[in-house]
Amino acid sequence: STQAKTLFPYTTLFRSTTPDSEAVFYFPGCGSERLFSQVGLATQAMLWHAGVQTVLPPGYLCCGYPQRGSGQFDKAEKMITDNRVLFHRVANTLNYLDIKTVVVSCGTCYDQLQGYKFEDIFPGCRIVDIHEYLLEKGIKLDGEGGYLYHDPCHTPMKLQDPMKTVKALVGPQVVKSERCCGESSTLGVTRPDVSTQVRFRKEEEIRKAESQLRESGTVGEQDNLKILTSCPSCLQGLSRYGNDLSNGLLEADYIVVEMARKILGENWMPEYVQRANAGGIERVLV
């Protein structure tokens, strides 16, 4: 009934192999589900490619960090409590999967979920960024790089220096673009005067890194340049620099999206959705 669906929502289980395969719990968060849904889909597609079963939380959920960050502590605590109760129900319903890994694709969500006590929800589990998880599985690009990388203020990569992970994933010829992008969650909207000043300084760093790549011959003199990141808010901020290069355009993208495009092909998104819909999705009442 409609009432039952409201009181007891459904969680989604993506099966790409057998019931005995490794299972992970993926928390997309606002940025990877609503703001840039291609990030959430690319994460799911690459987890499918890695041969693991992926559990998604019921419906759309926010981790509560934006509310806590804006001083709405009571609202944040209610959201966190409601989410944790829901995750306990998911864990009880799917206890046969023995989930040991919680995957995230956003550093802000990572920081907030650390306070959820997931080790009590999925005993013995850990929280890890999708890019570090793919590197653990040996999934990486064969290219030589040729990218800029913007390391977010809230980096989700915690296991080692983020640049070491990025170079291992996409190639050694990756240049780090220093400084904050200026988006800083909602700063770009709420205080555009401050954000614009930060943006000017970031533009200088982007052009400096651009010169380094072009002078080395990694990127052609007139070619467009791609800047990768691992934060939805930064992806939004970096998209504002499209016309600020000395030559060509600056294209902002997520590492996992670039990996999906290079490894799974240009049509990775519709092909993944088609495969998942062809018997790969199980809806579980919790």
Side-chain angles (χ1 to χ4, degrees):
S1 65
T2 303
Q3 184 180 11
K5 291 180 181 179
T6 302
L7 294 175
F8 302 98
Y10 288 93
T11 191
T12 305
L13 173 63
F14 290 86
R15 296 188 182 278
S16 57
T17 50
T18 69
D20 296 326
S21 299
E22 179 184 353
V24 303
F25 181 84
Y26 171 45
F27 186 88
C30 310
S32 301
E33 186 169 5
R34 292 302 177 90
L35 188 59
F36 296 106
S37 58
Q38 72 271 24
V39 173
L41 284 171
T43 299
Q44 295 171 44
M46 291 307 295
L47 288 171
W48 183 293
H49 177 70
V52 300
Q53 300 178 85
T54 305
V55 178
L56 292 179
Y60 160 71
L61 294 178
C62 176
C63 69
Y65 192 102
Q67 292 72 24
R68 191 186 72 176
S70 61
Q72 298 175 316
F73 299 112
D74 291 342
K75 185 173 183 179
E77 286 303 316
K78 183 181 185 305
M79 293 175 65
I80 292 168
T81 301
D82 290 345
N83 286 348
R84 292 188 70 242
V85 169
L86 198 54
F87 295 159
H88 272 288
R89 281 161 52 180
V90 171
N92 290 336
T93 303
L94 300 177
N95 59 1
Y96 60 91
L97 289 178
D98 193 27
I99 295 171
K100 296 297 184 185
T101 302
V102 175
V103 173
V104 295
S105 52
C106 169
T108 302
C109 288
Y110 189 114
D111 291 348
Q112 182 74 341
L113 295 182
Q114 282 184 314
Y116 272 49
K117 297 182 178 179
F118 265 106
E119 65 275 8
D120 296 335
I121 300 172
F122 303 113
C125 84
R126 55 158 184 173
I127 303 176
V128 66
D129 174 62
I130 177 60
H131 304 104
E132 292 178 322
Y133 185 79
L134 292 176
L135 185 58
E136 285 182 358
K137 295 294 183 182
I139 300 173
K140 51 189 176 181
L141 301 183
D142 295 328
E144 292 299 318
Y147 300 98
L148 296 182
Y149 177 67
H150 172 81
D151 194 26
C153 300
H154 282 185
T155 179
M157 301 185 197
K158 313 286 190 182
L159 300 181
Q160 62 180 0
D161 178 75
M163 282 304 297
K164 189 174 182 180
T165 299
V166 174
K167 289 184 177 183
L169 286 173
V170 303
Q173 300 301 322
V174 179
V175 175
K176 183 179 180 181
S177 176
E178 303 286 355
R179 298 281 176 168
C180 174
C181 68
E183 196 69 17
S184 298
S185 187
T186 58
L187 177 67
V189 177
T190 58
R191 289 301 303 269
D193 54 334
V194 177
S195 178
T196 298
Q197 295 303 311
V198 176
R199 185 185 183 282
F200 287 147
R201 188 64 181 83
K202 179 64 174 180
E203 183 180 330
E204 292 180 1
E205 291 298 328
I206 288 177
R207 288 188 174 181
K208 186 189 300 182
E210 174 198 5
S211 297
Q212 185 177 341
L213 282 172
R214 295 197 193 280
E215 289 173 3
S216 68
T218 307
V219 177
E221 282 299 322
Q222 301 299 322
D223 292 344
N224 293 343
L225 185 59
K226 184 162 284 190
I227 184 167
L228 303 177
T229 190
S230 53
C231 167
S233 181
C234 292
L235 181 57
Q236 179 167 280
L238 294 171
S239 66
R240 306 180 190 275
Y241 296 84
N243 296 312
D244 292 340
L245 294 182
S246 301
N247 297 305
L249 297 176
L250 183 68
E251 303 172 6
D253 214 340
Y254 232 74
I255 298 175
V256 71
V257 175
E258 181 72 359
M259 291 181 70
R261 187 175 68 84
K262 289 289 186 69
I263 294 174
L264 306 180
E266 293 289 345
N267 294 321
W268 66 267
M269 188 183 297
E271 290 176 359
Y272 163 68
V273 172
Q274 182 180 18
R275 287 197 304 270
N277 285 332
I281 300 176
E282 179 182 346
R283 303 269 286 174
V284 182
L285 188 67
V286 296

